[in-house]
Amino acid sequence: MVFNTEQIDKEKSTIAIMILAAGASTRMGTPKQLLLYQGRSFLQYITEMAIASVCQPVVVVLGANAEQIHPQIKQLPVRVVKNLDWACGMSTSIKSGIELLNNLPQKIEAVVITLCDQPFVSHQIINQLVDAYYSEKKPIIACEYAGILGVPSLFSQIFFSELAALKEASGAKKVINNNLNKVFSIPFPLGNIDIDTPKDYKQLLSITNLASEVQMEQNEYL
């Protein structure tokens, strides 16, 4: 039988999703979590994509500028954890998220880990990871772009301890690369685009504005 996410009862989902949004955005010069994209902040956008997916619960890890950023998602049905050690690197945010998941009363079978600055992550991509997890029977499902395997990625619960033990600036890619024989990948070319600098942001806005104009022109002919 071919499995697809339409078969998942979201209320009974055992696949969580963790959004890492604790960084200080030093290269951007302002919290990129708050930059406007598609009519809302980056963080609100990716959080809404996560909520729209089959994953439950949605966990958001905040750190730098948490008090300023938290209001963006305060009204959304998510669990927020504040990583006080955010300055020590991404590994501490992953550890904070895993600790929250391990302390939940319900069983969490796996987690999708994603970032708040990949603007082309969608609920469809997230659901494809879950689809592949059930259909391919691999404990790690990673997105593939620019010749690498990276996030968003799904990790079975058997890797929670390894994720929580990551050191300093290490991210989830290290767990992927340490277990390549247990990985199934899905193509996500746009996953290579993330927003780190004002130039990156300006280019993104140019691309999205052009796409909107093209769509409007196409609609005029329908």
Side-chain angles (χ1 to χ4, degrees), residues 10 13 15-19 42-60 76-78 112 114-115 121-124 126-127 130:
K10 183 169 180 176
S13 173
I15 310 292
I17 183 166
M18 182 194 308
I19 301 169
F42 265 130
L43 181 57
Q44 184 177 348
Y45 177 81
I46 186 61
T47 303
E48 289 177 356
M49 291 299 104
I51 292 169
S53 78
V54 297
C55 297
Q56 180 70 19
V58 176
V59 176
V60 180
L76 298 177
V78 301
V112 173
T114 192
L115 307 176
V121 170
S122 64
H123 68 275
Q124 291 94 337
I126 297 168
N127 287 349
V130 178

Side-chain angles (χ1 to χ4, degrees), residues 13-202:
S13 173
T14 59
I15 310 292
I17 183 166
M18 182 194 308
I19 301 169
L20 303 180
S25 309
T26 52
R27 295 170 62 191
M28 182 64 69
T30 189
K32 58 186 173 184
Q33 297 94 326
L34 300 178
L35 293 175
L36 288 180
Y37 178 65
Q38 304 286 20
R40 57 273 219 206
S41 69
F42 265 130
L43 181 57
Q44 184 177 348
Y45 177 81
I46 186 61
T47 303
E48 289 177 356
M49 291 299 104
I51 292 169
S53 78
V54 297
C55 297
Q56 180 70 19
V58 176
V59 176
V60 180
V61 184
L62 299 181
N65 307 300
E67 299 305 320
Q68 183 182 359
I69 295 168
H70 188 203
Q72 292 290 314
I73 55 172
K74 191 173 182 179
Q75 304 304 319
L76 298 177
V78 301
R79 294 176 181 267
V80 175
V81 57
K82 294 181 181 179
N83 172 22
L84 300 180
D85 296 322
W86 61 266
C88 295
M90 189 178 295
S91 63
T92 61
S93 290
I94 295 174
K95 181 179 179 180
S96 296
I98 293 296
E99 287 178 348
L100 184 149
L101 294 178
N102 284 336
N103 287 316
L104 292 178
Q106 69 265 43
K107 174 189 175 184
I108 300 298
E109 181 179 354
V111 62
V112 173
I113 296 179
T114 192
L115 307 176
C116 77
D117 64 351
Q118 287 177 294
F120 295 104
V121 170
S122 64
H123 68 275
Q124 291 94 337
I125 288 294
I126 297 168
N127 287 349
Q128 283 183 40
L129 293 169
V130 178
D131 278 345
Y133 172 70
Y134 285 114
S135 62
E136 301 300 327
K137 308 301 182 183
K138 287 282 190 175
I140 299 177
I141 311 296
C143 285
E144 183 174 0
Y145 43 85
I148 65 169
L149 299 174
V151 295
S153 291
L154 181 151
F155 297 88
S156 166
Q157 190 272 342
I158 64 173
F159 292 105
F160 282 12
S161 59
E162 187 171 346
L163 286 165
L166 288 168
K167 301 297 183 182
E168 299 175 353
S170 299
K173 287 181 184 178
K174 185 171 184 180
V175 175
I176 295 171
N177 291 332
N178 286 346
N179 299 278
L180 290 176
N181 63 322
K182 299 175 183 177
V183 178
F184 181 83
S185 65
I186 65 171
F188 179 35
L190 291 175
N192 191 45
I193 299 175
D194 58 12
I195 308 303
D196 290 320
T197 67
K199 182 180 178 180
D200 294 338
Y201 182 50
K202 184 177 180 180

